[in-house]
């Protein structure tokens, strides 16, 4: 097809990067050429006809490097189909689905920079051993002990695959100036 797309991501412990890889591979299977890069490695967006960006959500917001990416490339992104996905552990809490509207609200700053043509929210992985701050590790251990969270991979691969499969035709739509 000759249409080159970018799937880019910001990830702290690798789970968002893994989702980006799956999304990118599904789009490749649909016939597109795709570059998959961490956001901090993206220099320019000229080669791409569309962009899919994903970030972990920490402290109720996209990671700082993800927001930097959006602000740095805003002019180019506005001119292209743009889709976004986010991984947030709040969705993995007991009854986490009831927090989906609240998590979506936390992403308003992202949408205010670049309105997406498609957006997805997924739970992530809780691996306490990968949390760098001792105090945060302790808080998570207590939360797990009280049943707020459970450690492990909470990503819904069926939902991720479905979203990525439905995404490709949307990315082919040209963006109106």
């Amino acid at each position: 097809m000759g249409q080159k797309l970018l799937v880019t991501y910001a990830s702290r412990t690798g789970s968002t990067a893994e989702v980006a890889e799956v999304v990118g591979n599904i789009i490749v299977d649909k016939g597109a050429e795709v570059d998959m890069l961490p956001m901090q490695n993206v220099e320019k967006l000229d080669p791409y006809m569309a962009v899919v960006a994903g970030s972990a959500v920490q402290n109720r917001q996209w990671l700082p490097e993800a927001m930097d990416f959006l602000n740095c490339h805003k002019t180019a992104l506005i001119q292209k189909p743009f889709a976004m996905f986010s991984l947030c552990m709040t969705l993995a809490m007991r009854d986490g689905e009831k927090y989906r509207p609240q998590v979506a609200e936390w992403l308003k700053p992202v949408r205010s920079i670049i309105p997406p043509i498609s957006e997805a929210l997924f739970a992530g992985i809780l691996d306490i051993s990968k949390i760098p701050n001792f105090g945060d590790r302790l808080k998570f251990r207590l939360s797990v002990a009280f049943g707020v969270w459970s450690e492990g991979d909470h990503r819904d691969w069926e939902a991720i695959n479905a979203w990525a499969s439905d995404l490709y035709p949307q990315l082919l739509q040209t963006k109106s100036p």
Side-chain angles (χ1 to χ4, degrees):
M1 218 175 215
Q3 306 277 359
K4 194 172 193 181
L5 286 81
L6 173 65
V7 176
T8 187
Y9 56 89
S11 186
R12 278 292 174 269
T13 62
S15 61
T16 306
E18 290 171 357
V19 170
E21 184 176 347
V22 168
V23 169
N25 287 334
I26 288 171
I27 295 170
V28 166
D29 290 346
K30 301 279 184 183
E33 184 181 348
V34 176
D35 285 343
M36 293 177 253
L37 298 168
M39 288 180 184
Q40 60 267 31
N41 292 357
V42 177
E43 293 180 16
K44 59 184 181 175
L45 298 178
D46 297 344
Y48 307 108
M49 55 87 52
V51 176
V52 179
S55 176
V57 174
Q58 289 187 346
N59 299 317
R60 300 180 180 186
Q61 58 193 352
W62 260 22
L63 296 176
E65 60 268 33
M67 295 306 289
D68 289 347
F69 169 84
L70 294 178
N71 286 310
C72 177
H73 297 287
K74 179 180 179 174
T75 302
L77 286 167
I78 288 173
Q79 300 170 19
K80 302 175 186 297
F82 172 77
M84 63 183 261
F85 68 92
S86 304
L87 271 67
C88 182
M89 282 308 300
T90 299
L91 299 174
M93 291 173 68
R94 183 180 49 220
D95 300 325
E97 280 304 308
K98 75 179 183 183
Y99 298 108
R100 187 170 289 275
Q102 184 178 352
V103 173
E105 188 70 18
W106 297 342
L107 301 174
K108 262 178 130 173
V110 176
R111 282 186 230 103
S112 73
I113 297 170
I114 311 294
I117 59 168
S118 182
E119 177 179 342
L121 296 171
F122 307 112
I125 295 175
L126 178 56
D127 181 348
I128 295 174
S129 70
K130 289 187 176 180
I131 298 171
N133 179 291
F134 174 77
D136 289 342
R137 279 194 310 275
L138 183 59
K139 288 177 201 172
F140 273 105
R141 285 193 199 289
L142 288 170
S143 296
V144 168
F146 287 112
V148 175
W149 271 291
S150 62
E151 253 193 295
D153 189 344
H154 301 278
R155 295 173 293 183
D156 181 343
W157 289 109
E158 190 174 307
I160 292 165
N161 286 316
W163 179 75
S165 293
D166 292 344
L167 184 61
Y168 182 61
Q170 297 173 57
L171 294 171
L172 295 178
Q173 302 299 314
T174 56
K175 191 130 181 195
S176 304

